[in-house]
Amino acid sequence: MNTITVTIVGLFIFTLFYIIVRAPKGAMSFLGKGAVRITIGLLLLFFFNVFGGQLGLHIPINVFTVAVTSILGPLGIISIAAVHIFVL
């Protein structure tokens, strides 16, 4: 084998190894951030129900409300509470 072939094969193996090692790190970072946002959304809903219960407000904790709260944060709770007050 000549030097050019060895260099090309070496670069190909290095690139393949880099892709294999790097991809799961990005996916795990994405999943980790999602888990943190879901946890924060659950906690926000829980504390809203604890303190909102004194005012007669209750938001059920289910997949939809957790998803909205996880994506929108406190504005999600405000929007769900507004729907609860004005629509329901």
Side-chain angles (χ1 to χ4, degrees):
M1 291 178 80
N2 61 17
T3 326
I4 296 174
T5 307
V6 171
T7 306
I8 291 173
V9 170
L11 285 173
F12 179 74
I13 290 173
F14 177 76
T15 305
L16 186 64
F17 179 74
Y18 181 76
I19 290 171
I20 290 171
V21 170
R22 185 74 177 159
K25 188 185 294 185
M28 294 309 276
S29 173
F30 178 73
L31 291 175
K33 288 178 184 177
V36 168
R37 291 187 69 95
I38 288 172
T39 304
I40 290 171
L42 279 168
L43 287 173
L44 285 173
L45 282 171
F46 174 76
F47 286 118
F48 179 83
N49 285 335
V50 168
F51 296 115
Q54 298 171 354
L55 301 173
L57 294 173
H58 173 73
I59 297 174
I61 298 176
N62 55 34
V63 175
F64 176 74
T65 57
V66 171
V68 169
T69 307
S70 297
I71 294 170
L72 298 177
L75 293 176
I77 288 184
I78 292 170
S79 64
I80 292 173
V83 167
H84 179 72
I85 291 170
F86 295 117
V87 176
L88 299 178

